[in-house]
Coordinates of all heavy atoms in Angstrom, one line a residue:
M1 N -1.9 4.3 50.8 CA -0.7 4.0 50.1 C -0.9 2.7 49.2 O -0.4 2.6 48.1 CB 0.4 3.9 51.1 CG 1.8 3.6 50.4 SD 2.3 5.0 49.5 CE 3.9 4.6 49.2
K2 N -1.6 1.7 49.8 CA -1.8 0.5 49.1 C -2.6 0.7 47.9 O -2.4 0.0 46.8 CB -2.5 -0.6 50.0 CG -1.6 -1.1 51.1 CD -2.3 -2.1 51.9 CE -1.4 -2.6 53.1 NZ -2.1 -3.6 53.9
K3 N -3.6 1.6 47.9 CA -4.5 1.9 46.8 C -3.7 2.5 45.6 O -3.9 2.1 44.5 CB -5.6 2.8 47.2 CG -6.6 2.2 48.1 CD -7.7 3.2 48.4 CE -8.8 2.6 49.3 NZ -9.8 3.5 49.6
I4 N -2.7 3.3 45.9 CA -1.9 4.0 44.9 C -1.0 2.9 44.2 O -0.9 2.9 43.0 CB -1.0 5.1 45.5 CG1 -1.9 6.3 45.9 CG2 0.0 5.6 44.5 CD1 -1.2 7.4 46.7
I5 N -0.4 2.0 45.0 CA 0.4 1.0 44.4 C -0.4 0.0 43.6 O 0.0 -0.3 42.5 CB 1.2 0.2 45.6 CG1 2.2 1.1 46.3 CG2 1.9 -1.0 45.0 CD1 2.8 0.6 47.5
L6 N -1.6 -0.4 44.0 CA -2.4 -1.3 43.3 C -2.9 -0.6 42.0 O -2.9 -1.2 40.9 CB -3.6 -1.7 44.1 CG -3.4 -2.7 45.2 CD1 -4.6 -2.9 46.0 CD2 -2.9 -4.0 44.6
L7 N -3.2 0.7 42.0 CA -3.7 1.4 40.8 C -2.5 1.5 39.9 O -2.7 1.3 38.7 CB -4.2 2.8 41.2 CG -4.7 3.7 40.1 CD1 -5.8 3.0 39.3 CD2 -5.2 5.0 40.6
S8 N -1.3 1.9 40.3 CA -0.1 2.0 39.5 C 0.2 0.6 38.8 O 0.5 0.6 37.6 CB 1.1 2.4 40.3 OG 0.9 3.7 40.8
S9 N 0.1 -0.5 39.6 CA 0.3 -1.8 39.0 C -0.7 -2.1 37.9 O -0.3 -2.7 36.9 CB 0.3 -2.9 40.1 OG 1.3 -2.6 41.1
F10 N -1.9 -1.8 38.2 CA -3.0 -2.1 37.2 C -2.7 -1.3 35.9 O -2.8 -1.8 34.8 CB -4.3 -1.7 37.8 CG -5.5 -1.8 36.8 CD1 -6.0 -3.1 36.5 CD2 -6.0 -0.7 36.1 CE1 -7.0 -3.2 35.5 CE2 -7.0 -0.9 35.2 CZ -7.5 -2.1 34.9
V11 N -2.3 0.0 36.0 CA -2.0 0.8 34.8 C -0.9 0.2 34.0 O -0.9 0.1 32.8 CB -1.8 2.3 35.2 CG1 -1.2 3.1 34.0 CG2 -3.0 2.9 35.8
V12 N 0.2 -0.2 34.7 CA 1.4 -0.7 34.1 C 1.0 -2.0 33.4 O 1.4 -2.3 32.2 CB 2.5 -0.9 35.1 CG1 3.7 -1.7 34.5 CG2 3.0 0.4 35.6
L13 N 0.3 -2.9 34.0 CA -0.1 -4.2 33.4 C -1.0 -4.0 32.2 O -0.9 -4.7 31.2 CB -0.7 -5.1 34.5 CG 0.2 -5.6 35.6 CD1 -0.6 -6.4 36.6 CD2 1.3 -6.5 35.0
T14 N -1.9 -3.1 32.3 CA -2.8 -2.8 31.2 C -2.1 -2.3 30.0 O -2.3 -2.6 28.9 CB -3.9 -1.8 31.7 OG1 -4.5 -2.3 32.8 CG2 -4.9 -1.5 30.6
S15 N -1.1 -1.4 30.3 CA -0.2 -0.9 29.2 C 0.5 -2.0 28.4 O 0.6 -2.0 27.2 CB 0.8 0.1 29.7 OG 0.1 1.2 30.3
F16 N 1.0 -3.0 29.2 CA 1.8 -4.1 28.5 C 0.8 -4.9 27.6 O 1.2 -5.3 26.5 CB 2.4 -5.0 29.5 CG 3.6 -4.4 30.2 CD1 3.8 -4.4 31.5 CD2 4.6 -3.8 29.4 CE1 5.0 -3.9 32.1 CE2 5.8 -3.3 29.9 CZ 5.9 -3.3 31.3
G17 N -0.4 -5.1 28.1 CA -1.4 -5.8 27.3 C -1.7 -5.1 26.0 O -1.8 -5.7 24.9
T18 N -1.8 -3.8 26.0 CA -2.0 -3.0 24.9 C -0.9 -3.1 23.8 O -1.1 -3.2 22.7 CB -2.3 -1.5 25.2 OG1 -3.3 -1.4 26.2 CG2 -2.6 -0.7 24.0
I19 N 0.3 -3.1 24.3 CA 1.5 -3.2 23.4 C 1.5 -4.5 22.7 O 1.7 -4.6 21.5 CB 2.8 -3.0 24.2 CG1 2.9 -1.5 24.7 CG2 4.0 -3.3 23.4 CD1 4.0 -1.3 25.7
T20 N 1.2 -5.6 23.5 CA 1.2 -6.9 22.9 C 0.1 -7.0 21.8 O 0.4 -7.5 20.7 CB 0.9 -8.0 23.9 OG1 2.0 -7.8 24.9 CG2 1.0 -9.4 23.4
N21 N -1.1 -6.5 22.1 CA -2.2 -6.5 21.1 C -1.8 -5.7 19.8 O -2.1 -6.2 18.7 CB -3.5 -6.0 21.7 CG -4.0 -6.9 22.7 OD1 -3.7 -8.1 22.8 ND2 -4.8 -6.4 23.6
T22 N -1.2 -4.6 20.0 CA -0.8 -3.8 18.8 C 0.2 -4.5 17.9 O 0.0 -4.6 16.7 CB -0.2 -2.5 19.3 OG1 -1.1 -1.8 20.1 CG2 0.2 -1.6 18.1
E23 N 1.2 -5.2 18.5 CA 2.1 -5.9 17.7 C 1.5 -7.1 17.0 O 1.8 -7.3 15.9 CB 3.3 -6.5 18.7 CG 4.2 -5.4 19.2 CD 5.2 -5.9 20.2 OE1 5.3 -7.1 20.3 OE2 5.8 -5.1 20.8
T24 N 0.6 -7.8 17.6 CA -0.1 -8.9 17.0 C -0.9 -8.5 15.8 O -0.9 -9.0 14.7 CB -1.0 -9.6 18.0 OG1 -0.2 -10.0 19.1 CG2 -1.7 -10.8 17.4
S25 N -1.7 -7.4 16.0 CA -2.6 -7.0 14.9 C -1.8 -6.4 13.7 O -2.2 -6.5 12.6 CB -3.6 -6.0 15.4 OG -3.0 -4.8 15.9
S26 N -0.6 -5.7 14.0 CA 0.1 -5.1 12.9 C 0.8 -6.2 12.0 O 1.0 -6.0 10.9 CB 1.1 -4.1 13.4 OG 2.1 -4.8 14.2
S27 N 1.1 -7.4 12.6 CA 1.7 -8.4 11.8 C 0.7 -9.1 11.0 O 1.1 -9.8 10.0 CB 2.5 -9.4 12.8 OG 1.5 -10.1 13.6
V28 N -0.5 -9.0 11.2 CA -1.6 -9.7 10.5 C -1.9 -8.9 9.2 O -2.1 -9.5 8.2 CB -2.9 -9.9 11.3 CG1 -4.0 -10.4 10.5 CG2 -2.6 -10.8 12.5
K29 N -1.8 -7.6 9.2 CA -2.2 -6.7 8.1 C -1.1 -6.8 7.0 O 0.1 -6.8 7.3 CB -2.3 -5.3 8.5 CG -3.5 -5.1 9.4 CD -3.6 -3.6 9.8 CE -4.8 -3.4 10.7 NZ -5.0 -2.0 11.0
T30 N -1.5 -6.9 5.8 CA -0.6 -6.9 4.6 C -0.7 -5.6 3.8 O 0.0 -5.4 2.9 CB -0.9 -8.1 3.7 OG1 -2.2 -8.1 3.3 CG2 -0.6 -9.4 4.5
E31 N -1.7 -4.8 4.1 CA -2.0 -3.6 3.3 C -2.1 -2.5 4.3 O -2.9 -2.5 5.3 CB -3.2 -3.8 2.5 CG -3.6 -2.5 1.7 CD -4.9 -2.7 1.0 OE1 -5.3 -3.8 0.6 OE2 -5.6 -1.6 0.9
I32 N -1.4 -1.4 4.0 CA -1.5 -0.2 4.9 C -1.9 1.0 4.0 O -1.3 1.3 3.0 CB -0.1 0.1 5.5 CG1 0.4 -1.1 6.3 CG2 -0.2 1.4 6.3 CD1 1.8 -1.0 6.8
V33 N -3.0 1.7 4.4 CA -3.4 2.8 3.6 C -2.7 4.0 4.2 O -2.9 4.4 5.4 CB -5.0 3.0 3.7 CG1 -5.4 4.2 3.0 CG2 -5.6 1.8 3.2
V34 N -1.9 4.7 3.4 CA -1.1 5.8 3.9 C -1.9 7.1 3.8 O -1.6 8.0 4.5 CB 0.2 5.9 3.1 CG1 1.0 7.1 3.4 CG2 1.1 4.6 3.3
G35 N -2.8 7.2 2.9 CA -3.6 8.4 2.8 C -3.1 9.3 1.7 O -3.7 10.4 1.4
E36 N -2.1 8.9 1.0 CA -1.6 9.7 -0.1 C -1.8 8.9 -1.4 O -2.4 7.9 -1.4 CB -0.1 9.9 0.0 CG 0.3 10.8 1.2 CD 1.8 11.1 1.2 OE1 2.4 11.4 0.1 OE2 2.4 11.0 2.2
S37 N -1.2 9.4 -2.5 CA -1.3 8.7 -3.8 C 0.1 9.0 -4.4 O 0.9 9.7 -4.0 CB -2.4 9.3 -4.6 OG -2.2 10.6 -4.9
F38 N 0.3 8.3 -5.6 CA 1.4 8.6 -6.4 C 1.0 8.6 -7.8 O -0.1 8.1 -8.2 CB 2.6 7.5 -6.2 CG 2.2 6.1 -6.6 CD1 2.6 5.6 -7.8 CD2 1.5 5.3 -5.7 CE1 2.2 4.3 -8.2 CE2 1.2 4.0 -6.1 CZ 1.6 3.5 -7.3
S39 N 1.8 9.2 -8.7 CA 1.4 9.3 -10.1 C 2.2 8.3 -10.9 O 3.4 8.1 -10.6 CB 1.7 10.7 -10.7 OG 0.9 11.6 -10.1
L40 N 1.6 7.6 -11.9 CA 2.2 6.7 -12.7 C 2.1 7.2 -14.2 O 1.0 7.4 -14.7 CB 1.6 5.3 -12.6 CG 2.1 4.2 -13.5 CD1 3.6 3.9 -13.1 CD2 1.3 3.0 -13.4
I41 N 3.3 7.3 -14.8 CA 3.3 7.8 -16.2 C 3.6 6.6 -17.1 O 4.5 5.8 -16.9 CB 4.5 8.8 -16.4 CG1 4.2 10.0 -15.5 CG2 4.6 9.2 -17.9 CD1 5.4 11.1 -15.6
N42 N 2.8 6.5 -18.2 CA 3.0 5.5 -19.2 C 4.0 6.0 -20.2 O 3.7 6.8 -21.1 CB 1.7 5.2 -19.9 CG 1.9 4.2 -21.1 OD1 2.9 3.5 -21.2 ND2 0.9 4.0 -21.9
D43 N 5.3 5.7 -20.0 CA 6.3 6.1 -20.9 C 6.7 5.1 -21.9 O 7.7 5.1 -22.6 CB 7.6 6.5 -20.1 CG 8.1 5.3 -19.2 OD1 7.4 4.4 -18.9 OD2 9.3 5.4 -18.9
S44 N 5.8 4.1 -22.1 CA 5.9 3.1 -23.2 C 5.5 3.7 -24.5 O 4.9 4.8 -24.6 CB 5.2 1.8 -22.8 OG 3.8 2.0 -23.0
K45 N 5.6 2.9 -25.5 CA 5.2 3.4 -26.9 C 3.8 3.0 -27.2 O 3.3 3.3 -28.3 CB 6.2 2.8 -27.9 CG 7.6 3.2 -27.8 CD 8.5 2.6 -28.8 CE 9.9 3.0 -28.6 NZ 10.8 2.4 -29.5
D46 N 3.1 2.3 -26.3 CA 1.8 1.8 -26.6 C 0.8 2.2 -25.5 O 1.1 2.6 -24.4 CB 1.8 0.2 -26.5 CG 2.8 -0.4 -27.6 OD1 2.7 0.1 -28.7 OD2 3.5 -1.3 -27.2
K47 N -0.5 2.1 -25.9 CA -1.6 2.3 -25.0 C -1.7 1.1 -24.2 O -1.5 0.0 -24.7 CB -2.9 2.5 -25.7 CG -4.1 2.7 -24.9 CD -5.4 3.0 -25.7 CE -6.6 3.1 -24.8 NZ -7.8 3.4 -25.5
I48 N -1.8 1.2 -22.8 CA -1.9 0.1 -21.9 C -3.1 0.1 -21.1 O -3.8 1.1 -20.9 CB -0.6 0.0 -21.0 CG1 -0.6 1.3 -20.1 CG2 0.6 -0.2 -21.9 CD1 0.4 1.1 -19.0
S49 N -3.4 -1.0 -20.5 CA -4.5 -1.1 -19.5 C -3.9 -1.8 -18.2 O -3.2 -2.8 -18.3 CB -5.6 -2.0 -20.0 OG -6.6 -2.1 -19.0
I50 N -4.2 -1.2 -17.1 CA -3.7 -1.7 -15.8 C -4.8 -1.8 -14.8 O -5.8 -1.1 -15.0 CB -2.5 -0.9 -15.2 CG1 -3.0 0.5 -14.9 CG2 -1.3 -0.9 -16.1 CD1 -2.0 1.3 -14.1
H51 N -4.7 -2.7 -13.8 CA -5.6 -2.7 -12.7 C -4.8 -2.2 -11.5 O -3.8 -2.7 -11.1 CB -6.0 -4.2 -12.4 CG -7.1 -4.3 -11.4 ND1 -6.8 -4.3 -10.1 CD2 -8.4 -4.2 -11.5 CE1 -8.0 -4.3 -9.4 NE2 -9.0 -4.3 -10.3
T52 N -5.3 -1.1 -10.9 CA -4.6 -0.4 -9.9 C -4.8 -1.0 -8.5 O -4.3 -0.4 -7.5 CB -5.0 1.1 -9.9 OG1 -6.4 1.1 -9.5 CG2 -4.8 1.8 -11.2
G53 N -5.5 -2.0 -8.4 CA -5.9 -2.6 -7.1 C -7.3 -2.2 -6.7 O -7.9 -2.9 -5.9
T54 N -7.8 -1.2 -7.3 CA -9.2 -0.8 -7.1 C -10.0 -0.7 -8.3 O -11.3 -0.7 -8.3 CB -9.3 0.6 -6.4 OG1 -8.6 1.6 -7.2 CG2 -8.6 0.6 -5.0
G55 N -9.4 -0.7 -9.5 CA -10.1 -0.6 -10.8 C -9.2 -0.6 -11.9 O -8.0 -0.5 -11.8
F56 N -9.8 -0.7 -13.1 CA -9.0 -0.7 -14.4 C -8.8 0.7 -14.9 O -9.7 1.5 -14.8 CB -9.7 -1.6 -15.4 CG -9.7 -3.0 -15.1 CD1 -10.7 -3.6 -14.5 CD2 -8.6 -3.8 -15.5 CE1 -10.7 -5.0 -14.2 CE2 -8.5 -5.2 -15.2 CZ -9.6 -5.7 -14.6
V57 N -7.6 1.0 -15.5 CA -7.3 2.3 -16.0 C -6.6 2.0 -17.4 O -5.7 1.2 -17.5 CB -6.3 3.1 -15.1 CG1 -5.9 4.4 -15.7 CG2 -7.0 3.3 -13.7
S58 N -7.0 2.8 -18.4 CA -6.3 2.7 -19.7 C -5.5 4.0 -19.8 O -5.9 5.1 -19.5 CB -7.4 2.8 -20.8 OG -8.0 1.5 -20.9
L59 N -4.2 3.8 -20.2 CA -3.3 4.9 -20.3 C -2.8 5.0 -21.7 O -2.2 4.0 -22.2 CB -2.1 4.7 -19.3 CG -2.4 4.8 -17.8 CD1 -1.2 4.3 -17.0 CD2 -2.8 6.2 -17.5
N60 N -3.0 6.1 -22.4 CA -2.4 6.4 -23.7 C -0.9 6.6 -23.5 O -0.4 6.9 -22.4 CB -3.0 7.6 -24.3 CG -4.5 7.3 -24.7 OD1 -4.8 6.2 -25.2 ND2 -5.3 8.3 -24.5
K61 N -0.2 6.5 -24.6 CA 1.3 6.8 -24.5 C 1.5 8.2 -24.0 O 0.9 9.2 -24.4 CB 1.8 6.7 -26.0 CG 3.3 7.0 -26.1 CD 3.7 6.8 -27.5 CE 4.2 8.1 -28.1 NZ 4.7 8.0 -29.4
G62 N 2.3 8.3 -22.9 CA 2.7 9.6 -22.3 C 1.7 10.1 -21.3 O 1.9 11.1 -20.7
S63 N 0.6 9.4 -21.1 CA -0.4 9.9 -20.1 C -0.1 9.4 -18.7 O 0.8 8.5 -18.5 CB -1.8 9.5 -20.5 OG -2.0 8.1 -20.5
K64 N -0.7 10.0 -17.7 CA -0.5 9.5 -16.3 C -1.8 9.4 -15.6 O -2.8 10.0 -15.9 CB 0.5 10.4 -15.6 CG 0.0 11.8 -15.2 CD 1.1 12.5 -14.4 CE 0.7 13.9 -14.0 NZ 1.7 14.6 -13.3
T65 N -1.7 8.6 -14.5 CA -2.8 8.4 -13.6 C -2.4 8.5 -12.2 O -1.2 8.3 -11.9 CB -3.5 7.1 -13.9 OG1 -4.7 7.0 -13.1 CG2 -2.6 5.9 -13.5
S66 N -3.3 8.8 -11.3 CA -3.0 8.8 -9.9 C -3.5 7.5 -9.2 O -4.6 7.1 -9.5 CB -3.7 10.0 -9.2 OG -3.4 10.1 -7.8
I67 N -2.6 6.9 -8.4 CA -3.0 5.6 -7.8 C -2.9 5.8 -6.3 O -1.9 6.4 -5.8 CB -2.0 4.5 -8.2 CG1 -2.1 4.3 -9.7 CG2 -2.3 3.2 -7.5 CD1 -1.1 3.3 -10.3
G68 N -3.9 5.4 -5.5 CA -3.9 5.5 -4.1 C -2.7 4.7 -3.5 O -2.3 3.6 -4.0
C69 N -2.1 5.2 -2.5 CA -0.9 4.6 -1.9 C -1.3 3.6 -0.8 O -1.0 3.7 0.4 CB 0.0 5.7 -1.3 SG 1.7 5.3 -1.3
N70 N -1.9 2.5 -1.3 CA -2.3 1.4 -0.4 C -1.1 0.4 -0.4 O -1.0 -0.5 -1.3 CB -3.5 0.7 -0.9 CG -4.7 1.6 -0.9 OD1 -4.7 2.6 -0.2 ND2 -5.7 1.3 -1.8
V71 N -0.2 0.5 0.6 CA 1.0 -0.3 0.6 C 0.7 -1.7 0.7 O -0.2 -2.2 1.5 CB 1.9 0.2 1.8 CG1 3.1 -0.7 2.0 CG2 2.3 1.6 1.7
G72 N 1.3 -2.5 -0.2 CA 1.1 -4.0 -0.3 C 0.1 -4.4 -1.4 O 0.1 -5.5 -1.8
K73 N -0.6 -3.4 -1.9 CA -1.5 -3.7 -3.1 C -0.7 -4.0 -4.3 O 0.4 -3.4 -4.5 CB -2.4 -2.5 -3.4 CG -3.8 -2.4 -3.0 CD -4.7 -3.5 -3.2 CE -6.1 -2.9 -2.8 NZ -7.1 -3.9 -2.7
E74 N -1.2 -4.8 -5.2 CA -0.5 -5.2 -6.4 C -1.2 -4.4 -7.6 O -2.4 -4.3 -7.7 CB -0.6 -6.7 -6.7 CG 0.1 -7.5 -5.7 CD -0.2 -9.0 -5.9 OE1 -1.2 -9.4 -6.5 OE2 0.7 -9.8 -5.5
V75 N -0.3 -3.9 -8.4 CA -0.8 -3.2 -9.7 C -0.5 -4.3 -10.8 O 0.6 -4.8 -10.9 CB 0.0 -1.9 -9.9 CG1 -0.4 -1.3 -11.3 CG2 -0.3 -0.9 -8.8
R76 N -1.5 -4.6 -11.5 CA -1.4 -5.7 -12.5 C -1.8 -5.1 -13.9 O -2.4 -4.1 -14.1 CB -2.4 -6.8 -12.2 CG -2.1 -7.4 -10.9 CD -3.3 -8.4 -10.5 NE -2.9 -9.2 -9.4 CZ -2.4 -10.5 -9.5 NH1 -2.2 -11.0 -10.7 NH2 -2.1 -11.2 -8.4
W77 N -1.3 -5.9 -14.9 CA -1.8 -5.6 -16.3 C -3.3 -5.9 -16.4 O -3.8 -6.8 -15.8 CB -1.0 -6.5 -17.3 CG 0.4 -6.2 -17.4 CD1 1.5 -7.0 -17.0 CD2 1.1 -5.0 -17.9 NE1 2.7 -6.4 -17.2 CE2 2.4 -5.2 -17.8 CE3 0.6 -3.9 -18.5 CZ2 3.3 -4.2 -18.2 CZ3 1.5 -2.9 -18.9 CH2 2.8 -3.1 -18.8
G78 N -3.9 -5.1 -17.2 CA -5.3 -5.3 -17.5 C -5.4 -6.0 -18.9 O -4.8 -5.6 -19.8
N79 N -6.2 -7.1 -18.9 CA -6.3 -7.8 -20.2 C -7.8 -8.1 -20.5 O -8.4 -9.0 -19.9 CB -5.5 -9.1 -20.1 CG -5.5 -9.9 -21.4 OD1 -5.9 -9.4 -22.4 ND2 -5.0 -11.1 -21.3
E80 N -8.4 -7.2 -21.3 CA -9.8 -7.3 -21.7 C -10.7 -7.4 -20.4 O -11.6 -8.3 -20.3 CB -10.0 -8.5 -22.6 CG -9.3 -8.4 -23.9 CD -9.4 -9.7 -24.8 OE1 -10.2 -10.6 -24.4 OE2 -8.8 -9.7 -25.8
G81 N -10.5 -6.5 -19.5 CA -11.3 -6.5 -18.3 C -11.0 -7.5 -17.2 O -11.7 -7.6 -16.2
K82 N -9.9 -8.2 -17.4 CA -9.5 -9.2 -16.4 C -8.1 -8.8 -15.9 O -7.3 -8.2 -16.6 CB -9.4 -10.6 -17.0 CG -10.8 -11.1 -17.4 CD -10.7 -12.5 -18.0 CE -12.1 -13.0 -18.4 NZ -12.0 -14.3 -19.0
K83 N -7.8 -9.2 -14.6 CA -6.5 -8.9 -14.1 C -5.5 -9.8 -14.7 O -5.7 -11.0 -14.8 CB -6.5 -9.1 -12.6 CG -7.4 -8.2 -11.8 CD -7.3 -8.5 -10.3 CE -8.4 -7.9 -9.5 NZ -8.3 -8.3 -8.1
G84 N -4.3 -9.3 -15.1 CA -3.2 -10.0 -15.6 C -2.1 -10.2 -14.6 O -2.3 -10.2 -13.4
D85 N -0.9 -10.3 -15.1 CA 0.3 -10.5 -14.3 C 0.6 -9.3 -13.5 O 0.3 -8.2 -13.9 CB 1.5 -10.9 -15.2 CG 1.4 -12.2 -15.8 OD1 0.6 -13.1 -15.4 OD2 2.0 -12.4 -16.9
V86 N 1.2 -9.5 -12.3 CA 1.6 -8.4 -11.5 C 2.8 -7.6 -12.1 O 3.7 -8.2 -12.6 CB 2.1 -8.9 -10.1 CG1 2.6 -7.8 -9.2 CG2 1.0 -9.7 -9.4
I87 N 2.6 -6.3 -12.1 CA 3.7 -5.4 -12.6 C 4.6 -5.0 -11.4 O 5.8 -5.1 -11.5 CB 3.1 -4.1 -13.2 CG1 2.1 -4.5 -14.3 CG2 4.2 -3.2 -13.8 CD1 1.3 -3.3 -14.8
F88 N 4.0 -4.6 -10.3 CA 4.7 -4.2 -9.1 C 3.8 -4.2 -7.9 O 2.5 -4.1 -8.1 CB 5.4 -2.9 -9.3 CG 4.5 -1.7 -9.5 CD1 4.0 -1.0 -8.5 CD2 4.1 -1.3 -10.8 CE1 3.1 0.1 -8.7 CE2 3.3 -0.2 -11.0 CZ 2.8 0.5 -10.0
K89 N 4.3 -4.2 -6.7 CA 3.6 -4.0 -5.5 C 3.9 -2.6 -5.0 O 5.0 -2.1 -5.1 CB 4.0 -5.0 -4.4 CG 3.4 -6.3 -4.5 CD 3.7 -7.1 -3.2 CE 2.9 -8.4 -3.2 NZ 3.1 -9.2 -2.0
I90 N 2.8 -2.0 -4.4 CA 3.0 -0.6 -3.9 C 3.8 -0.6 -2.6 O 3.4 -1.4 -1.7 CB 1.6 0.1 -3.8 CG1 0.9 0.1 -5.1 CG2 1.7 1.4 -3.1 CD1 -0.6 0.6 -5.0
T91 N 4.8 0.2 -2.5 CA 5.6 0.4 -1.3 C 5.5 1.8 -0.8 O 5.1 2.7 -1.5 CB 7.1 0.0 -1.6 OG1 7.5 1.0 -2.6 CG2 7.2 -1.4 -2.1
A92 N 5.8 2.0 0.5 CA 5.6 3.3 1.1 C 6.5 4.3 0.5 O 6.1 5.5 0.5 CB 6.0 3.1 2.6
D93 N 7.7 4.0 -0.1 CA 8.5 5.0 -0.7 C 8.0 5.5 -2.0 O 8.5 6.5 -2.5 CB 9.9 4.4 -0.8 CG 10.0 3.2 -1.8 OD1 9.1 2.4 -1.8 OD2 11.0 3.1 -2.5
M94 N 7.0 4.9 -2.5 CA 6.3 5.4 -3.8 C 5.4 6.6 -3.5 O 5.2 7.4 -4.4 CB 5.5 4.3 -4.5 CG 6.3 3.2 -5.0 SD 5.2 1.9 -5.6 CE 6.4 0.8 -6.4
C95 N 4.9 6.7 -2.3 CA 3.9 7.7 -1.9 C 4.3 9.1 -2.2 O 5.4 9.5 -1.8 CB 3.4 7.5 -0.5 SG 2.8 5.9 -0.2
G96 N 3.5 9.9 -2.9 CA 3.8 11.3 -3.1 C 4.7 11.5 -4.3 O 5.0 12.7 -4.6
K97 N 5.1 10.5 -5.0 CA 6.1 10.7 -6.1 C 5.4 10.5 -7.5 O 4.3 10.0 -7.5 CB 7.2 9.6 -6.0 CG 8.1 9.8 -4.7 CD 9.2 8.9 -4.7 CE 10.0 9.1 -3.4 NZ 11.1 8.1 -3.3
T98 N 6.1 10.8 -8.5 CA 5.7 10.6 -9.9 C 6.7 9.5 -10.4 O 7.9 9.7 -10.4 CB 5.8 11.8 -10.7 OG1 4.9 12.8 -10.2 CG2 5.4 11.5 -12.2
L99 N 6.2 8.4 -10.8 CA 7.0 7.3 -11.3 C 6.7 6.9 -12.7 O 5.6 7.0 -13.2 CB 6.7 6.1 -10.4 CG 6.9 6.3 -8.9 CD1 6.3 5.1 -8.1 CD2 8.4 6.5 -8.5
K100 N 7.7 6.4 -13.4 CA 7.6 5.9 -14.8 C 7.3 4.4 -14.8 O 8.0 3.7 -14.1 CB 8.8 6.3 -15.6 CG 9.0 7.7 -15.8 CD 10.3 8.0 -16.6 CE 10.5 9.5 -16.8 NZ 11.7 9.8 -17.6
L101 N 6.4 4.0 -15.6 CA 6.1 2.6 -15.8 C 7.3 1.7 -16.1 O 7.5 0.7 -15.5 CB 5.0 2.4 -16.8 CG 4.6 1.0 -17.1 CD1 3.9 0.4 -15.8 CD2 3.6 0.9 -18.2
S102 N 8.2 2.2 -17.0 CA 9.3 1.5 -17.4 C 10.3 1.2 -16.2 O 10.9 0.1 -16.2 CB 10.1 2.2 -18.5 OG 10.6 3.5 -18.0
E103 N 10.4 2.1 -15.3 CA 11.2 1.8 -14.1 C 10.7 0.8 -13.2 O 11.4 0.1 -12.5 CB 11.4 3.1 -13.4 CG 12.2 4.2 -14.1 CD 12.2 5.5 -13.4 OE1 11.6 5.7 -12.4 OE2 12.9 6.4 -14.0
L104 N 9.3 0.7 -13.1 CA 8.7 -0.3 -12.2 C 8.6 -1.7 -12.8 O 8.3 -2.6 -12.1 CB 7.3 0.2 -11.9 CG 7.3 1.6 -11.1 CD1 5.9 2.1 -11.0 CD2 8.0 1.4 -9.7
M105 N 8.8 -1.8 -14.1 CA 8.7 -3.1 -14.8 C 10.0 -3.9 -14.7 O 10.0 -5.1 -15.1 CB 8.3 -2.9 -16.3 CG 6.9 -2.4 -16.5 SD 6.4 -2.0 -18.2 CE 7.4 -2.9 -19.2
K106 N 11.0 -3.3 -14.3 CA 12.3 -4.0 -14.2 C 12.4 -5.1 -13.2 O 11.7 -5.1 -12.2 CB 13.4 -3.0 -13.9 CG 13.6 -2.0 -15.0 CD 14.6 -0.9 -14.7 CE 14.8 0.1 -15.8 NZ 15.7 1.1 -15.5

């Protein structure tokens, strides 16, 4: 009987340690890879260049691109091969959707 109680106590205490470690590590991360992507349409009147967080993309007027849904990543303007100002940060609610650039620039 003592062995069962000791084993049960060990399992319970080990479980609490796991919960604490999970909470600590999740608060450290600022980017979450959801495994999906979203589409971005250039609905402006001009050809643009953006940095998607992983590389540069040129978008003609009316064209679209697929961007990985890495929550927390910043999408920036591209300026002659250099990262420019932040346009928007990727959020979880963007995943799987088609979004217009003009809506995200507000």
